[in-house]
Amino acid sequence: MIFEEKQKSQPIEKRQVWEAFKAVKKKGGSAGVDGLNIPDIESEPRKYLYPIWNRLASGSYHPMPVREVLIPKDDGSKRALGIPTVVDRVAQMVIREELESIVNKQFSKNSFGYRPKTGAHAAVHQCSENCMRYNWAIDLDIKGFFDNIDHELMMRAVKHFTSKGHILLYVERWLKCPVQKQDGTIQQRTKGTPQGGVISPVLANIFLHFAFDSWFERKHPECRFERYADDIIIHCSTFKEALRVLNTVTQRMNQCKLELKKGKNNIVYCKRKTPGPIRFKPKYSSFDFLGFTFEPRMVRTKRGMWFLAFAPAISRKRQRRIGQTLFKMKIHRMVHLQLSDLAHLLAAKLRGWFNFYGKFRMSEMRHVMRLLNMRLAHWVRNKYRRFRRKHWFFAYLWLQEVSRKYPAMFVHWSAGFKP
């Protein structure tokens, strides 16, 4: 991509656009309202990427409406995602890279979401350590956070970090970008940022840095917290302190034009081996955070001693989601494949699940892996005629024999979850 240099009003280089496109290509994603996907842009970069740089550098860039997609949630409701066009995602990536280099070094060390050199595992690890130090935890749930961010407060937060005109200009345009509903109608946006945009996570971190992080560290230095995007866990020493903190946080969210979801903000007792018992029976003794359930569990030390700890493991919701994914794959119907082909088909998914959920207490994944082995046994009955009229246990015995001969065929067999 070699273009003639021209004097532009905004300090954006062509190299930034090309690097942003490579980052967008790596993440993948579907097309927006214009129907153009990543291979279309890659096949003719001069046709699509040069106009983006030209408009970004001259200040004439305006984003197209975002395409609304409804994603089902675990509770049966649906969450609205806003999918920008590929070229708009490239433009957002250009500004995101520049904005992240400014704001990341000023964020709180307790903010883990969508930041380099940190992630969900670091947040879960710190949460586990704080649960061992503090008796009580507050599980906060902000109602429709991405859909209810106030645009005026958002721009004030961005202006606190930078005064660069091109960043402020395009962030404001993305905030006001309309939404194309599934029926084709265009709806103007007066608040919120589309959950699905490239720059939305950075804007969410900037907003909550002032709405919660810096405020909480200044207001309640005696407490600790972890925040991953809009998922927040607060740790307190006593129940009265937890009640007081929850009340002040509720008031703070109202000041920032946000609302905590009613009935979803629980004060949890972190039961473990403590010097003395509490005077009443707590209502909640577990909570979910980033796909892990924190609850009392027996933990073994390196010296072989056992003690009661408040430790994380894969949550039941995520186990059900994995089970639903395996069911939708219809493994038992793939009788045209060999067993080794099934192993290759499942390898990437299984490695992803083990790398994420197996980080803490991998043994809790035995329930969903047992379900997978049962589905493989069902495949054996459908594949081989000699097992069809026999009890399913004979197919399961055949699968056990295969796992003994080829223990590394499936990823979960290598991890110790054999039939």
Side-chain angles (χ1 to χ4, degrees):
M1 293 182 58
I2 303 177
F3 308 111
E4 295 182 2
E5 293 290 345
K6 295 181 180 180
Q7 187 66 30
K8 298 294 182 180
S9 60
Q10 308 299 332
I12 297 177
E13 301 176 359
K14 294 185 290 294
R15 175 189 54 81
Q16 294 176 264
V17 176
W18 181 242
E19 294 297 328
F21 172 72
K22 291 194 291 186
V24 170
K25 177 187 173 183
K26 184 177 180 180
K27 291 189 174 183
S30 57
V33 296
D34 59 355
L36 292 175
N37 51 37
I38 294 176
D40 297 332
I41 308 296
E42 187 177 20
S43 62
E44 297 183 276
R46 181 182 294 271
K47 178 180 178 180
Y48 296 107
L49 296 184
Y50 177 78
I52 287 296
W53 167 77
N54 193 25
R55 293 166 188 166
L56 284 173
S58 62
S60 61
Y61 164 77
H62 289 271
M64 298 183 67
V66 297
R67 179 171 61 90
E68 185 183 65
V69 177
L70 299 179
I71 305 296
K73 299 174 65 176
D74 294 332
D75 57 2
S77 60
K78 293 185 178 181
R79 176 180 60 192
L81 296 182
I83 308 299
T85 63
V86 177
V87 292
D88 286 338
R89 295 206 296 271
V90 172
Q92 290 185 17
M93 185 64 74
V94 172
I95 303 301
R96 171 182 169 173
E97 294 293 333
E98 187 174 357
L99 187 58
E100 275 188 338
S101 64
I102 300 172
V103 302
N104 266 325
K105 55 188 176 184
Q106 303 183 52
F107 282 156
S108 169
K109 64 179 182 180
N110 300 308
S111 173
F112 297 90
Y114 308 110
R115 298 183 59 193
K117 298 181 180 180
T118 185
H121 285 162
V124 174
H125 179 72
Q126 179 173 305
C127 184
S128 179
E129 291 184 343
N130 285 331
C131 285
M132 295 300 295
R133 296 192 185 105
Y134 294 85
N135 292 334
W136 298 90
I138 306 174
D139 182 13
L140 291 183
D141 192 351
I142 302 177
K143 182 178 180 181
F145 169 68
F146 283 90
D147 297 329
N148 293 304
I149 294 178
D150 184 76
H151 288 177
E152 182 180 355
L153 294 178
M154 182 76 256
M155 292 307 302
R156 285 173 56 185
V158 176
K159 289 178 182 178
H160 180 86
F161 283 111
T162 180
S163 59
K164 294 183 177 180
H166 63 288
I167 294 180
L168 301 177
L169 174 67
Y170 296 133
V171 166
E172 186 172 8
R173 289 179 181 176
W174 284 318
L175 289 175
K176 296 180 180 180
C177 181
V179 179
Q180 185 184 70
K181 297 291 185 178
Q182 291 187 329
D183 58 0
T185 59
I186 302 296
Q187 179 180 341
Q188 297 298 322
R189 185 190 304 275
T190 58
K191 61 179 180 179
T193 178
Q195 189 176 359
V198 173
I199 203 169
S200 296
V202 182
L203 298 180
N205 278 336
I206 292 175
F207 190 90
L208 283 176
H209 173 76
F210 293 103
F212 182 81
D213 296 354
S214 59
W215 169 85
F216 188 86
E217 290 173 348
R218 183 177 65 256
K219 189 75 173 180
H220 299 282
E222 72 282 0
C223 300
R224 297 293 181 269
F225 74 93
E226 298 85 31
R227 182 179 67 81
Y228 191 96
D230 58 334
D231 293 333
I232 306 173
I233 303 295
I234 302 174
H235 304 272
C236 304
S237 298
T238 64
F239 182 72
K240 289 184 177 179
E241 183 181 56
L243 285 174
R244 185 175 67 253
V245 170
L246 180 57
N247 184 48
T248 56
V249 171
T250 303
Q251 295 176 4
R252 176 62 177 177
M253 293 295 108
N254 292 335
Q255 292 175 358
C256 298
K257 301 182 180 181
L258 294 175
E259 181 183 356
L260 296 181
K261 191 178 294 185
K262 295 182 180 179
K264 295 291 186 178
N265 303 283
N266 305 325
I267 299 178
V268 181
Y269 175 55
C270 303
K271 182 181 179 181
R272 60 193 191 281
K273 188 176 181 181
T274 53
I278 58 176
R279 298 181 180 179
F280 62 95
K281 184 177 180 180
K283 185 176 181 180
Y284 302 100
S285 59
S286 66
F287 64 86
D288 287 0
F289 182 52
L290 301 179
F292 295 89
T293 296
F294 286 78
E295 63 183 15
R297 306 177 192 274
M298 293 303 297
V299 177
R300 189 176 184 179
T301 63
K302 294 181 179 179
R303 296 182 178 180
M305 302 294 292
W306 292 87
F307 70 99
L308 184 64
F310 201 80
I314 181 174
S315 67
R316 293 291 179 87
K317 291 182 180 179
R318 295 304 173 92
Q319 290 186 40
R320 286 196 296 268
R321 185 180 297 180
I322 292 175
Q324 292 172 359
T325 302
L326 294 174
F327 176 78
K328 292 178 181 178
M329 292 182 69
K330 304 296 182 183
I331 301 171
H332 62 286
R333 295 182 180 178
M334 299 181 182
V335 294
H336 59 288
L337 300 178
Q338 299 297 323
L339 194 61
S340 58
D341 298 328
L342 289 181
H344 180 73
L345 182 67
L346 293 169
K349 288 184 178 295
L350 290 174
R351 288 194 189 98
W353 291 333
F354 280 120
N355 289 338
F356 187 81
Y357 299 111
K359 182 71 173 180
F360 302 94
R361 208 177 181 91
M362 183 182 286
S363 60
E364 290 297 319
M365 297 190 69
R366 64 185 182 277
H367 305 289
V368 69
M369 292 301 109
R370 185 182 299 122
L371 175 63
L372 174 57
N373 286 328
M374 291 299 298
R375 301 203 70 80
L376 291 176
H378 195 179
W379 174 87
V380 173
R381 293 190 70 189
N382 293 338
K383 175 73 172 180
Y384 301 107
R385 186 175 300 177
R386 65 182 182 272
F387 294 111
R388 292 179 186 175
R389 294 186 179 182
K390 295 182 180 180
H391 194 273
W392 64 267
F393 188 65
F394 289 95
Y396 199 79
L397 289 177
W398 182 88
L399 199 63
Q400 286 181 335
E401 183 66 23
V402 174
S403 67
R404 282 193 290 268
K405 293 181 178 178
Y406 307 99
M409 179 179 291
F410 284 87
V411 174
H412 67 294
W413 290 359
S414 302
F417 299 100
K418 296 180 181 179

